[in-house]
Amino acid sequence: MAQISKDMTIGEILATDRNIAPVLMSMGMHCLGCPASQGESLAEAAMVHGLDADLVEKAVNEFLANEG
């Protein structure tokens, strides 16, 4: 089972599973296609959007655990 960490970049996370994009977007991260976001860590992106990185990380890992 794949897992992500908040230290991974958005680009790395999306390369893990493109289906993560809707999860992040539902939490308010609508700039996933922005070139700058691809090099930001999940922790940095969460901070910019006023989100708790630990909660975002947990939500994505729960999604991955339940997928497929």
Side-chain angles (χ1 to χ4, degrees):
M1 167 182 67
Q3 280 204 314
I4 63 101
S5 75
K6 62 186 174 192
D7 297 322
M8 293 173 72
T9 66
I10 298 296
E12 292 170 328
I13 291 169
L14 294 176
T16 301
D17 187 332
R18 298 303 271 174
N19 294 320
I20 293 171
V23 176
L24 295 175
M25 291 181 74
S26 74
M27 300 184 89
M29 292 187 182
H30 299 284
C31 60
L32 300 178
C34 172
S37 74
Q38 298 303 301
E40 275 185 327
S41 71
L42 180 61
E44 293 167 330
M47 181 184 67
V48 167
H49 290 89
L51 302 169
D52 182 326
D54 292 323
L55 294 178
V56 177
E57 177 185 54
K58 181 180 176 187
V60 171
N61 283 324
E62 286 176 356
F63 166 79
L64 290 170
N66 293 315
E67 188 181 46

